[in-house]
Amino acid sequence: MIEYKGYVARIEYDASVGRLHGSVINSGPYPIATFEATDVESLHREFRRSIDDYLEWCEQDGVEPRRPFSGKLNLRLGSDLHQRVALVAAEEGVSLNSWIKHALEQSLPGTHFRASVHQ
């Protein structure tokens, strides 16, 4: 994956045509930009060009660009799980948001010991 201006793209190689293909993956349900190239240097250049073109188009047309993930997430837990998690968070003296964030961080692959949730 590569990143530019907060946008992240996933890269795939198509051996049948000898080309690298990329698409933005952190802007919502569909990619705002796709691009391709035959080598890594060109791929990075095309990615940057695609993002810059997209942002310029949005500005010219007065459209709000689709931004990379904001960090806000609406989560439906069900009332029983919501209550159980809220009670555990309260027992630990942290907010529900902090408790959920910490639990998610700990469950990510490659996550090592992190500082306490009480940060």
Side-chain angles (χ1 to χ4, degrees):
M1 287 195 249
I2 56 178
E3 186 271 333
Y4 177 65
K5 292 187 176 179
Y7 293 95
V8 175
R10 176 179 35 236
I11 310 304
E12 296 177 350
Y13 178 68
D14 185 343
S16 68
V17 293
R19 297 189 68 81
L20 296 161
H21 297 273
S23 62
V24 173
I25 61 170
N26 68 331
S27 61
Y30 59 89
I32 59 164
T34 60
F35 49 96
E36 62 180 55
T38 56
D39 61 82
V40 174
E41 184 177 323
S42 298
L43 186 77
H44 282 271
R45 183 174 54 250
E46 291 302 316
F47 175 44
R48 291 188 302 268
R49 182 177 300 156
S50 293
I51 295 299
D52 289 341
D53 286 351
Y54 169 72
L55 294 173
E56 183 178 322
W57 172 82
C58 287
E59 184 177 338
Q60 289 174 353
D61 285 7
V63 174
E64 184 66 29
R66 297 186 74 197
R67 297 291 180 188
F69 294 123
S70 68
K72 295 179 182 178
L73 172 69
N74 290 323
L75 185 62
R76 290 178 177 81
L77 302 174
S79 60
D80 183 57
L81 180 58
H82 187 171
Q83 178 178 319
R84 289 171 35 217
V85 170
L87 290 173
V88 170
E91 286 173 8
E92 293 181 11
V94 297
S95 70
L96 181 59
N97 186 77
S98 293
W99 192 93
I100 292 171
K101 180 181 174 195
H102 180 75
L104 290 172
E105 287 173 340
Q106 293 302 307
S107 67
L108 290 173
T111 302
H112 301 290
F113 177 79
R114 295 186 186 266
S116 167
V117 73
H118 300 281
Q119 297 177 0

